[in-house]
Amino acid sequence: MVHPGTLLKASFMASRAFFRSPAQGGAHRLAAADSAPSVMVPIRSIGPTQTGRITAHLLALEPRDRYLRFGYTANDEQIRRYVAGLNFERDEIFGIYNRKLELIAMAHLAFSTDPELQSCAEFGVSVLAHARGRGYGARLFDRAAMHSRNEGVQMMFIHALSENTAMLNIARKAGATVERDGSETEAYLKVQPADLDSRMSELLEEQIAQTDYRLKVQAKKFWDFLALLQEVRRGVRGSRRA
């Protein structure tokens, strides 16, 4: 679990770059900043107002990635039905956004509806191809595990295809028991009871993530406004020359 002081420091350092002009250092600098590993990745709990971004995220997955995420090569209509069926009141959806407010990684923590398995939850995750290699899947798993802990979940499950080695490696590193049954594999992690530290850490992480998102919204509006202003100025200059 990340220390609260580390979370605050990482959030402060990240926020300093939000309003940096894209022209300062060019696109290369921005790409390097986005791909550089950080101590803390803001992971936001998201609700039904974000269904558009959730849909866009899942539709952007390659056919192979859709196959690994859902266990079959879901077509666009099946993905839209999946998003329409999300229960935001019962389940929890977590997301990681880039500076353009694109949802580049998301996790679905689905709580069991079986009366005999009320203390269980299932975890699913997807990361866009260009955002891989940064540990986002593992970060989302840790975030979901902490939320499960604070919600009284005793067992967290991952049902994946046996060929989904990336997902299964995340589960193994987290200490989950992994059992293979042919083409499918079941992983389960025993969740520790909640304590004051886990509750305060989740509260702080969520607050930082919400602040991070608001800063990204403001920064995007700011640069969109400047871009529009530059277009207007170019149009005025063009008319004068004509």
Side-chain angles (χ1 to χ4, degrees):
M1 187 174 295
V2 182
H3 190 275
T6 304
L7 289 173
L8 290 171
K9 182 178 179 181
S11 178
F12 171 74
M13 295 301 292
S15 65
R16 292 177 61 184
F18 285 156
F19 292 95
R20 182 185 300 146
S21 170
Q24 296 176 1
H28 176 73
R29 170 181 281 187
L30 289 178
D34 282 341
S35 61
S38 61
V39 175
M40 190 273 296
V41 177
I43 297 175
R44 182 173 180 250
S45 176
I46 56 182
T49 59
Q50 297 292 304
T51 52
R53 288 193 172 99
I54 293 173
T55 302
H57 166 82
L58 294 173
L59 290 176
L61 294 176
E62 301 284 341
R64 171 69 177 172
D65 297 327
R66 296 185 185 191
Y67 172 68
L68 293 176
R69 172 61 183 87
F70 296 104
Y72 60 95
T73 308
N75 59 36
D76 291 357
E77 182 56 32
Q78 288 170 324
I79 284 177
R80 289 190 177 93
R81 286 203 300 267
Y82 164 80
V83 175
L86 289 173
N87 188 328
F88 291 94
E89 293 184 4
R90 182 193 67 214
D91 299 341
E92 198 70 34
I93 312 294
F94 298 103
I96 298 174
Y97 296 83
N98 63 9
R99 294 186 184 190
K100 297 179 182 179
L101 297 182
E102 296 168 337
L103 189 60
I104 57 175
M106 65 164 283
H108 181 188
L109 184 66
F111 292 90
S112 174
T113 57
D114 189 330
E116 297 181 0
L117 299 172
Q118 289 184 346
S119 60
C120 297
E122 184 177 4
F123 175 82
V125 67
S126 54
V127 181
L128 295 185
H130 70 271
R132 305 241 172 88
R134 307 178 196 178
Y136 288 164
R139 296 296 181 92
L140 284 164
F141 184 86
D142 291 342
R143 180 71 175 84
M146 180 163 55
H147 183 74
S148 296
R149 181 179 181 183
N150 292 333
E151 289 297 312
V153 170
Q154 297 177 6
M155 197 74 69
M156 194 167 151
F157 288 90
I158 296 174
H159 184 77
L161 296 172
S162 298
E163 57 194 285
N164 193 350
T165 55
M167 184 68 258
L168 297 177
N169 284 337
I170 290 173
R172 287 192 182 94
K173 289 180 180 179
T177 299
V178 179
E179 297 181 351
R180 178 168 179 167
D181 184 14
S183 62
E184 298 181 348
T185 296
E186 193 84 24
Y188 54 93
L189 176 71
K190 186 176 181 181
V191 181
Q192 297 298 317
D195 57 19
L196 180 61
D197 189 26
S198 69
R199 295 187 186 281
M200 291 302 296
S201 292
E202 182 176 21
L203 182 64
L204 183 57
E205 280 200 34
E206 182 62 28
Q207 185 61 48
I208 289 174
Q210 295 292 354
T211 301
D212 171 87
Y213 183 80
R214 287 193 293 269
L215 284 171
K216 286 175 177 173
V217 169
Q218 292 171 14
K220 187 176 185 303
K221 287 181 178 179
F222 176 72
W223 292 114
D224 286 349
F225 170 75
L226 284 187
L228 179 61
L229 190 61
Q230 289 174 355
E231 288 182 7
V232 172
R233 286 176 176 173
R234 284 195 292 268
V236 171
R237 290 173 183 172
S239 63
R240 287 177 179 175
R241 291 172 183 172

mmCIF file of all heavy atoms in Angstrom, residues 56-94:
data_model
loop_
_atom_site.group_PDB
_atom_site.id
_atom_site.type_symbol
_atom_site.label_atom_id
_atom_site.label_comp_id
_atom_site.label_asym_id
_atom_site.label_seq_id
_atom_site.Cartn_x
_atom_site.Cartn_y
_atom_site.Cartn_z
ATOM 1 N N ALA A 56 -16.074 4.040 -25.876
ATOM 2 C CA ALA A 56 -14.985 4.386 -26.790
ATOM 3 C C ALA A 56 -13.721 3.583 -26.461
ATOM 4 O O ALA A 56 -13.012 3.116 -27.360
ATOM 5 C CB ALA A 56 -14.690 5.881 -26.711
ATOM 6 N N HIS A 57 -13.455 3.401 -25.178
ATOM 7 C CA HIS A 57 -12.283 2.631 -24.752
ATOM 8 C C HIS A 57 -12.366 1.185 -25.233
ATOM 9 O O HIS A 57 -11.428 0.661 -25.837
ATOM 10 C CB HIS A 57 -12.169 2.669 -23.225
ATOM 11 C CG HIS A 57 -11.213 1.661 -22.664
ATOM 12 N ND1 HIS A 57 -9.850 1.864 -22.615
ATOM 13 C CD2 HIS A 57 -11.421 0.421 -22.142
ATOM 14 C CE1 HIS A 57 -9.261 0.801 -22.094
ATOM 15 N NE2 HIS A 57 -10.192 -0.082 -21.791
ATOM 16 N N LEU A 58 -13.500 0.553 -24.995
ATOM 17 C CA LEU A 58 -13.650 -0.859 -25.351
ATOM 18 C C LEU A 58 -13.702 -1.061 -26.868
ATOM 19 O O LEU A 58 -13.172 -2.043 -27.392
ATOM 20 C CB LEU A 58 -14.895 -1.439 -24.688
ATOM 21 C CG LEU A 58 -14.837 -1.510 -23.154
ATOM 22 C CD1 LEU A 58 -16.188 -1.953 -22.586
ATOM 23 C CD2 LEU A 58 -13.743 -2.468 -22.690
ATOM 24 N N LEU A 59 -14.324 -0.116 -27.575
ATOM 25 C CA LEU A 59 -14.373 -0.224 -29.034
ATOM 26 C C LEU A 59 -12.991 -0.043 -29.658
ATOM 27 O O LEU A 59 -12.739 -0.516 -30.771
ATOM 28 C CB LEU A 59 -15.340 0.814 -29.610
ATOM 29 C CG LEU A 59 -16.832 0.583 -29.351
ATOM 30 C CD1 LEU A 59 -17.648 1.743 -29.904
ATOM 31 C CD2 LEU A 59 -17.297 -0.731 -29.954
ATOM 32 N N ALA A 60 -12.093 0.634 -28.943
ATOM 33 C CA ALA A 60 -10.742 0.864 -29.458
ATOM 34 C C ALA A 60 -9.839 -0.357 -29.287
ATOM 35 O O ALA A 60 -8.727 -0.378 -29.831
ATOM 36 C CB ALA A 60 -10.114 2.068 -28.757
ATOM 37 N N LEU A 61 -10.305 -1.370 -28.555
ATOM 38 C CA LEU A 61 -9.496 -2.583 -28.365
ATOM 39 C C LEU A 61 -9.391 -3.365 -29.674
ATOM 40 O O LEU A 61 -10.356 -3.478 -30.423
ATOM 41 C CB LEU A 61 -10.133 -3.478 -27.291
ATOM 42 C CG LEU A 61 -10.159 -2.939 -25.855
ATOM 43 C CD1 LEU A 61 -10.918 -3.910 -24.953
ATOM 44 C CD2 LEU A 61 -8.747 -2.713 -25.317
ATOM 45 N N GLU A 62 -8.213 -3.901 -29.918
ATOM 46 C CA GLU A 62 -8.005 -4.752 -31.092
ATOM 47 C C GLU A 62 -8.800 -6.056 -30.923
ATOM 48 O O GLU A 62 -9.136 -6.436 -29.801
ATOM 49 C CB GLU A 62 -6.515 -5.079 -31.231
ATOM 50 C CG GLU A 62 -5.615 -3.865 -31.382
ATOM 51 C CD GLU A 62 -5.699 -3.265 -32.769
ATOM 52 O OE1 GLU A 62 -6.164 -3.982 -33.687
ATOM 53 O OE2 GLU A 62 -5.314 -2.098 -32.940
ATOM 54 N N PRO A 63 -9.130 -6.743 -32.026
ATOM 55 C CA PRO A 63 -9.874 -8.008 -31.912
ATOM 56 C C PRO A 63 -9.243 -9.002 -30.942
ATOM 57 O O PRO A 63 -9.952 -9.654 -30.170
ATOM 58 C CB PRO A 63 -9.855 -8.540 -33.351
ATOM 59 C CG PRO A 63 -9.783 -7.314 -34.191
ATOM 60 C CD PRO A 63 -8.907 -6.352 -33.432
ATOM 61 N N ARG A 64 -7.917 -9.118 -30.970
ATOM 62 C CA ARG A 64 -7.230 -10.031 -30.056
ATOM 63 C C ARG A 64 -7.435 -9.610 -28.600
ATOM 64 O O ARG A 64 -7.661 -10.448 -27.716
ATOM 65 C CB ARG A 64 -5.734 -10.050 -30.388
ATOM 66 C CG ARG A 64 -4.850 -10.791 -29.386
ATOM 67 C CD ARG A 64 -5.096 -12.259 -29.416
ATOM 68 N NE ARG A 64 -4.186 -12.975 -28.509
ATOM 69 C CZ ARG A 64 -4.284 -14.257 -28.223
ATOM 70 N NH1 ARG A 64 -5.256 -14.974 -28.768
ATOM 71 N NH2 ARG A 64 -3.424 -14.832 -27.414
ATOM 72 N N ASP A 65 -7.393 -8.309 -28.332
ATOM 73 C CA ASP A 65 -7.581 -7.805 -26.973
ATOM 74 C C ASP A 65 -9.025 -7.995 -26.509
ATOM 75 O O ASP A 65 -9.272 -8.276 -25.332
ATOM 76 C CB ASP A 65 -7.194 -6.326 -26.901
ATOM 77 C CG ASP A 65 -5.724 -6.112 -27.211
ATOM 78 O OD1 ASP A 65 -4.916 -6.993 -26.870
ATOM 79 O OD2 ASP A 65 -5.382 -5.072 -27.799
ATOM 80 N N ARG A 66 -9.965 -7.838 -27.424
ATOM 81 C CA ARG A 66 -11.363 -8.096 -27.075
ATOM 82 C C ARG A 66 -11.551 -9.567 -26.697
ATOM 83 O O ARG A 66 -12.293 -9.891 -25.762
ATOM 84 C CB ARG A 66 -12.280 -7.744 -28.256
ATOM 85 C CG ARG A 66 -12.283 -6.278 -28.638
ATOM 86 C CD ARG A 66 -13.321 -6.019 -29.731
ATOM 87 N NE ARG A 66 -13.281 -4.639 -30.222
ATOM 88 C CZ ARG A 66 -14.202 -4.099 -31.009
ATOM 89 N NH1 ARG A 66 -15.244 -4.841 -31.410
ATOM 90 N NH2 ARG A 66 -14.103 -2.843 -31.419
ATOM 91 N N TYR A 67 -10.885 -10.424 -27.429
ATOM 92 C CA TYR A 67 -10.967 -11.865 -27.160
ATOM 93 C C TYR A 67 -10.440 -12.192 -25.766
ATOM 94 O O TYR A 67 -11.057 -12.950 -25.006
ATOM 95 C CB TYR A 67 -10.174 -12.616 -28.227
ATOM 96 C CG TYR A 67 -10.015 -14.099 -27.981
ATOM 97 C CD1 TYR A 67 -11.112 -14.953 -28.046
ATOM 98 C CD2 TYR A 67 -8.763 -14.642 -27.697
ATOM 99 C CE1 TYR A 67 -10.972 -16.313 -27.823
ATOM 100 C CE2 TYR A 67 -8.610 -16.002 -27.477
ATOM 101 C CZ TYR A 67 -9.715 -16.835 -27.546
ATOM 102 O OH TYR A 67 -9.574 -18.177 -27.322
ATOM 103 N N LEU A 68 -9.306 -11.605 -25.404
ATOM 104 C CA LEU A 68 -8.719 -11.866 -24.094
ATOM 105 C C LEU A 68 -9.552 -11.244 -22.970
ATOM 106 O O LEU A 68 -9.653 -11.807 -21.885
ATOM 107 C CB LEU A 68 -7.284 -11.337 -24.037
ATOM 108 C CG LEU A 68 -6.266 -12.042 -24.940
ATOM 109 C CD1 LEU A 68 -4.908 -11.362 -24.850
ATOM 110 C CD2 LEU A 68 -6.143 -13.525 -24.569
ATOM 111 N N ARG A 69 -10.143 -10.082 -23.231
ATOM 112 C CA ARG A 69 -10.917 -9.401 -22.186
ATOM 113 C C ARG A 69 -12.242 -10.099 -21.912
ATOM 114 O O ARG A 69 -12.650 -10.265 -20.751
ATOM 115 C CB ARG A 69 -11.166 -7.937 -22.599
ATOM 116 C CG ARG A 69 -12.130 -7.162 -21.692
ATOM 117 C CD ARG A 69 -11.599 -7.077 -20.282
ATOM 118 N NE ARG A 69 -12.537 -6.392 -19.395
ATOM 119 C CZ ARG A 69 -13.536 -6.996 -18.753
ATOM 120 N NH1 ARG A 69 -13.739 -8.310 -18.895
ATOM 121 N NH2 ARG A 69 -14.326 -6.301 -17.957
ATOM 122 N N PHE A 70 -12.951 -10.507 -22.967
ATOM 123 C CA PHE A 70 -14.299 -11.056 -22.791
ATOM 124 C C PHE A 70 -14.377 -12.572 -22.946
ATOM 125 O O PHE A 70 -15.422 -13.157 -22.662
ATOM 126 C CB PHE A 70 -15.260 -10.393 -23.783
ATOM 127 C CG PHE A 70 -15.435 -8.918 -23.564
ATOM 128 C CD1 PHE A 70 -14.809 -7.999 -24.396
ATOM 129 C CD2 PHE A 70 -16.212 -8.441 -22.534
ATOM 130 C CE1 PHE A 70 -14.962 -6.636 -24.209
ATOM 131 C CE2 PHE A 70 -16.379 -7.069 -22.321
ATOM 132 C CZ PHE A 70 -15.738 -6.170 -23.161
ATOM 133 N N GLY A 71 -13.293 -13.187 -23.416
ATOM 134 C CA GLY A 71 -13.324 -14.620 -23.634
ATOM 135 C C GLY A 71 -13.854 -14.985 -25.003
ATOM 136 O O GLY A 71 -13.956 -16.159 -25.349
ATOM 137 N N TYR A 72 -14.201 -13.992 -25.799
ATOM 138 C CA TYR A 72 -14.645 -14.183 -27.176
ATOM 139 C C TYR A 72 -14.380 -12.865 -27.913
ATOM 140 O O TYR A 72 -14.211 -11.809 -27.285
ATOM 141 C CB TYR A 72 -16.130 -14.545 -27.251
ATOM 142 C CG TYR A 72 -17.070 -13.514 -26.669
ATOM 143 C CD1 TYR A 72 -17.678 -12.548 -27.485
ATOM 144 C CD2 TYR A 72 -17.349 -13.488 -25.295
ATOM 145 C CE1 TYR A 72 -18.523 -11.606 -26.960
ATOM 146 C CE2 TYR A 72 -18.192 -12.535 -24.762
ATOM 147 C CZ TYR A 72 -18.775 -11.596 -25.592
ATOM 148 O OH TYR A 72 -19.611 -10.649 -25.059
ATOM 149 N N THR A 73 -14.338 -12.904 -29.224
ATOM 150 C CA THR A 73 -14.076 -11.697 -29.999
ATOM 151 C C THR A 73 -15.355 -10.886 -30.116
ATOM 152 O O THR A 73 -16.109 -11.015 -31.087
ATOM 153 C CB THR A 73 -13.521 -12.053 -31.395
ATOM 154 O OG1 THR A 73 -12.401 -12.930 -31.255
ATOM 155 C CG2 THR A 73 -13.069 -10.794 -32.129
ATOM 156 N N ALA A 74 -15.606 -10.072 -29.108
ATOM 157 C CA ALA A 74 -16.839 -9.286 -29.062
ATOM 158 C C ALA A 74 -16.881 -8.281 -30.207
ATOM 159 O O ALA A 74 -15.908 -7.575 -30.458
ATOM 160 C CB ALA A 74 -16.932 -8.560 -27.724
ATOM 161 N N ASN A 75 -18.023 -8.217 -30.893
ATOM 162 C CA ASN A 75 -18.177 -7.206 -31.935
ATOM 163 C C ASN A 75 -18.663 -5.903 -31.301
ATOM 164 O O ASN A 75 -18.924 -5.829 -30.089
ATOM 165 C CB ASN A 75 -19.132 -7.686 -33.032
ATOM 166 C CG ASN A 75 -20.519 -8.016 -32.506
ATOM 167 O OD1 ASN A 75 -21.043 -7.365 -31.603
ATOM 168 N ND2 ASN A 75 -21.139 -9.059 -33.075
ATOM 169 N N ASP A 76 -18.795 -4.870 -32.116
ATOM 170 C CA ASP A 76 -19.149 -3.556 -31.587
ATOM 171 C C ASP A 76 -20.498 -3.562 -30.880
ATOM 172 O O ASP A 76 -20.668 -2.941 -29.826
ATOM 173 C CB ASP A 76 -19.161 -2.523 -32.721
ATOM 174 C CG ASP A 76 -17.776 -2.234 -33.271
ATOM 175 O OD1 ASP A 76 -16.804 -2.790 -32.723
ATOM 176 O OD2 ASP A 76 -17.665 -1.449 -34.227
ATOM 177 N N GLU A 77 -21.480 -4.250 -31.442
ATOM 178 C CA GLU A 77 -22.804 -4.282 -30.844
ATOM 179 C C GLU A 77 -22.781 -5.003 -29.500
ATOM 180 O O GLU A 77 -23.455 -4.585 -28.547
ATOM 181 C CB GLU A 77 -23.788 -4.975 -31.796
ATOM 182 C CG GLU A 77 -25.217 -5.021 -31.273
ATOM 183 C CD GLU A 77 -25.778 -3.648 -30.930
ATOM 184 O OE1 GLU A 77 -25.405 -2.667 -31.598
ATOM 185 O OE2 GLU A 77 -26.577 -3.564 -29.977
ATOM 186 N N GLN A 78 -22.021 -6.079 -29.389
ATOM 187 C CA GLN A 78 -21.902 -6.804 -28.115
ATOM 188 C C GLN A 78 -21.237 -5.937 -27.056
ATOM 189 O O GLN A 78 -21.608 -5.988 -25.881
ATOM 190 C CB GLN A 78 -21.122 -8.101 -28.335
ATOM 191 C CG GLN A 78 -21.910 -9.148 -29.108
ATOM 192 C CD GLN A 78 -21.054 -10.331 -29.534
ATOM 193 O OE1 GLN A 78 -19.880 -10.179 -29.880
ATOM 194 N NE2 GLN A 78 -21.636 -11.512 -29.515
ATOM 195 N N ILE A 79 -20.262 -5.143 -27.460
ATOM 196 C CA ILE A 79 -19.605 -4.244 -26.515
ATOM 197 C C ILE A 79 -20.581 -3.174 -26.034
ATOM 198 O O ILE A 79 -20.638 -2.859 -24.837
ATOM 199 C CB ILE A 79 -18.357 -3.597 -27.163
ATOM 200 C CG1 ILE A 79 -17.217 -4.619 -27.208
ATOM 201 C CG2 ILE A 79 -17.920 -2.345 -26.400
ATOM 202 C CD1 ILE A 79 -15.959 -4.135 -27.870
ATOM 203 N N ARG A 80 -21.363 -2.635 -26.946
ATOM 204 C CA ARG A 80 -22.347 -1.616 -26.553
ATOM 205 C C ARG A 80 -23.375 -2.200 -25.592
ATOM 206 O O ARG A 80 -23.811 -1.524 -24.649
ATOM 207 C CB ARG A 80 -23.023 -1.041 -27.799
ATOM 208 C CG ARG A 80 -22.094 -0.161 -28.637
ATOM 209 C CD ARG A 80 -22.867 0.589 -29.723
ATOM 210 N NE ARG A 80 -21.991 1.478 -30.477
ATOM 211 C CZ ARG A 80 -21.367 1.142 -31.605
ATOM 212 N NH1 ARG A 80 -21.564 -0.074 -32.116
ATOM 213 N NH2 ARG A 80 -20.582 1.996 -32.215
ATOM 214 N N ARG A 81 -23.779 -3.449 -25.818
ATOM 215 C CA ARG A 81 -24.732 -4.098 -24.898
ATOM 216 C C ARG A 81 -24.083 -4.322 -23.528
ATOM 217 O O ARG A 81 -24.748 -4.186 -22.492
ATOM 218 C CB ARG A 81 -25.211 -5.429 -25.484
ATOM 219 C CG ARG A 81 -26.207 -5.270 -26.630
ATOM 220 C CD ARG A 81 -27.058 -6.528 -26.797
ATOM 221 N NE ARG A 81 -26.239 -7.690 -27.089
ATOM 222 C CZ ARG A 81 -25.966 -8.114 -28.316
ATOM 223 N NH1 ARG A 81 -26.425 -7.447 -29.366
ATOM 224 N NH2 ARG A 81 -25.230 -9.192 -28.512
ATOM 225 N N TYR A 82 -22.803 -4.681 -23.535
ATOM 226 C CA TYR A 82 -22.079 -4.870 -22.270
ATOM 227 C C TYR A 82 -22.062 -3.564 -21.463
ATOM 228 O O TYR A 82 -22.353 -3.556 -20.267
ATOM 229 C CB TYR A 82 -20.652 -5.337 -22.555
ATOM 230 C CG TYR A 82 -19.706 -5.209 -21.379
ATOM 231 C CD1 TYR A 82 -19.704 -6.160 -20.351
ATOM 232 C CD2 TYR A 82 -18.820 -4.142 -21.294
ATOM 233 C CE1 TYR A 82 -18.838 -6.039 -19.275
ATOM 234 C CE2 TYR A 82 -17.950 -4.016 -20.222
ATOM 235 C CZ TYR A 82 -17.968 -4.964 -19.221
ATOM 236 O OH TYR A 82 -17.111 -4.829 -18.142
ATOM 237 N N VAL A 83 -21.747 -2.464 -22.126
ATOM 238 C CA VAL A 83 -21.696 -1.170 -21.435
ATOM 239 C C VAL A 83 -23.084 -0.775 -20.936
ATOM 240 O O VAL A 83 -23.242 -0.296 -19.810
ATOM 241 C CB VAL A 83 -21.115 -0.074 -22.357
ATOM 242 C CG1 VAL A 83 -21.176 1.288 -21.669
ATOM 243 C CG2 VAL A 83 -19.676 -0.406 -22.742
ATOM 244 N N ALA A 84 -24.115 -1.002 -21.761
ATOM 245 C CA ALA A 84 -25.485 -0.662 -21.373
ATOM 246 C C ALA A 84 -25.936 -1.479 -20.162
ATOM 247 O O ALA A 84 -26.789 -1.027 -19.389
ATOM 248 C CB ALA A 84 -26.433 -0.898 -22.548
ATOM 249 N N GLY A 85 -25.353 -2.661 -19.987
ATOM 250 C CA GLY A 85 -25.742 -3.524 -18.878
ATOM 251 C C GLY A 85 -24.939 -3.323 -17.612
ATOM 252 O O GLY A 85 -25.191 -4.009 -16.597
ATOM 253 N N LEU A 86 -23.984 -2.394 -17.609
ATOM 254 C CA LEU A 86 -23.188 -2.155 -16.408
ATOM 255 C C LEU A 86 -24.074 -1.636 -15.281
ATOM 256 O O LEU A 86 -24.904 -0.747 -15.470
ATOM 257 C CB LEU A 86 -22.079 -1.135 -16.693
ATOM 258 C CG LEU A 86 -20.930 -1.611 -17.589
ATOM 259 C CD1 LEU A 86 -19.997 -0.445 -17.911
ATOM 260 C CD2 LEU A 86 -20.153 -2.745 -16.936
ATOM 261 N N ASN A 87 -23.879 -2.205 -14.094
ATOM 262 C CA ASN A 87 -24.654 -1.791 -12.931
ATOM 263 C C ASN A 87 -23.751 -0.941 -12.036
ATOM 264 O O ASN A 87 -22.994 -1.451 -11.226
ATOM 265 C CB ASN A 87 -25.156 -3.025 -12.172
ATOM 266 C CG ASN A 87 -26.136 -2.670 -11.068
ATOM 267 O OD1 ASN A 87 -26.042 -1.618 -10.452
ATOM 268 N ND2 ASN A 87 -27.071 -3.564 -10.807
ATOM 269 N N PHE A 88 -23.843 0.372 -12.187
ATOM 270 C CA PHE A 88 -22.967 1.274 -11.454
ATOM 271 C C PHE A 88 -23.328 1.365 -9.972
ATOM 272 O O PHE A 88 -22.501 1.791 -9.168
ATOM 273 C CB PHE A 88 -22.998 2.668 -12.087
ATOM 274 C CG PHE A 88 -22.353 2.723 -13.444
ATOM 275 C CD1 PHE A 88 -23.113 2.567 -14.601
ATOM 276 C CD2 PHE A 88 -20.992 2.914 -13.574
ATOM 277 C CE1 PHE A 88 -22.525 2.623 -15.855
ATOM 278 C CE2 PHE A 88 -20.394 2.968 -14.823
ATOM 279 C CZ PHE A 88 -21.151 2.817 -15.958
ATOM 280 N N GLU A 89 -24.540 0.998 -9.624
ATOM 281 C CA GLU A 89 -24.940 1.031 -8.214
ATOM 282 C C GLU A 89 -24.378 -0.160 -7.451
ATOM 283 O O GLU A 89 -24.014 -0.039 -6.279
ATOM 284 C CB GLU A 89 -26.467 1.056 -8.105
ATOM 285 C CG GLU A 89 -27.096 2.332 -8.639
ATOM 286 C CD GLU A 89 -28.596 2.356 -8.426
ATOM 287 O OE1 GLU A 89 -29.123 1.407 -7.800
ATOM 288 O OE2 GLU A 89 -29.245 3.319 -8.883
ATOM 289 N N ARG A 90 -24.292 -1.298 -8.118
ATOM 290 C CA ARG A 90 -23.791 -2.509 -7.448
ATOM 291 C C ARG A 90 -22.282 -2.672 -7.617
ATOM 292 O O ARG A 90 -21.573 -2.945 -6.646
ATOM 293 C CB ARG A 90 -24.507 -3.735 -8.017
ATOM 294 C CG ARG A 90 -24.099 -5.065 -7.351
ATOM 295 C CD ARG A 90 -24.596 -6.244 -8.168
ATOM 296 N NE ARG A 90 -23.902 -6.309 -9.461
ATOM 297 C CZ ARG A 90 -24.479 -6.729 -10.586
ATOM 298 N NH1 ARG A 90 -25.741 -7.097 -10.584
ATOM 299 N NH2 ARG A 90 -23.791 -6.775 -11.714
ATOM 300 N N ASP A 91 -21.810 -2.520 -8.842
ATOM 301 C CA ASP A 91 -20.401 -2.773 -9.150
ATOM 302 C C ASP A 91 -19.572 -1.500 -9.060
ATOM 303 O O ASP A 91 -20.100 -0.410 -8.826
ATOM 304 C CB ASP A 91 -20.276 -3.385 -10.541
ATOM 305 C CG ASP A 91 -21.000 -4.717 -10.666
ATOM 306 O OD1 ASP A 91 -21.287 -5.330 -9.625
ATOM 307 O OD2 ASP A 91 -21.295 -5.122 -11.807
ATOM 308 N N GLU A 92 -18.285 -1.656 -9.281
ATOM 309 C CA GLU A 92 -17.369 -0.517 -9.265
ATOM 310 C C GLU A 92 -16.544 -0.527 -10.547
ATOM 311 O O GLU A 92 -16.027 -1.565 -10.948
ATOM 312 C CB GLU A 92 -16.447 -0.602 -8.048
ATOM 313 C CG GLU A 92 -15.764 0.700 -7.700
ATOM 314 C CD GLU A 92 -16.718 1.744 -7.137
ATOM 315 O OE1 GLU A 92 -17.676 1.368 -6.429
ATOM 316 O OE2 GLU A 92 -16.506 2.948 -7.413
ATOM 317 N N ILE A 93 -16.446 0.640 -11.190
ATOM 318 C CA ILE A 93 -15.644 0.790 -12.393
ATOM 319 C C ILE A 93 -14.524 1.782 -12.091
ATOM 320 O O ILE A 93 -14.785 2.873 -11.565
ATOM 321 C CB ILE A 93 -16.473 1.325 -13.578
ATOM 322 C CG1 ILE A 93 -17.793 0.547 -13.724
ATOM 323 C CG2 ILE A 93 -15.657 1.272 -14.863
ATOM 324 C CD1 ILE A 93 -17.626 -0.895 -14.111
ATOM 325 N N PHE A 94 -13.301 1.394 -12.407
ATOM 326 C CA PHE A 94 -12.156 2.268 -12.177
ATOM 327 C C PHE A 94 -11.513 2.615 -13.518
ATOM 328 O O PHE A 94 -11.467 1.777 -14.424
ATOM 329 C CB PHE A 94 -11.121 1.584 -11.282
ATOM 330 C CG PHE A 94 -11.626 1.240 -9.912
ATOM 331 C CD1 PHE A 94 -11.979 -0.059 -9.591
ATOM 332 C CD2 PHE A 94 -11.758 2.223 -8.940
ATOM 333 C CE1 PHE A 94 -12.446 -0.381 -8.325
ATOM 334 C CE2 PHE A 94 -12.233 1.917 -7.681
ATOM 335 C CZ PHE A 94 -12.579 0.611 -7.362
#
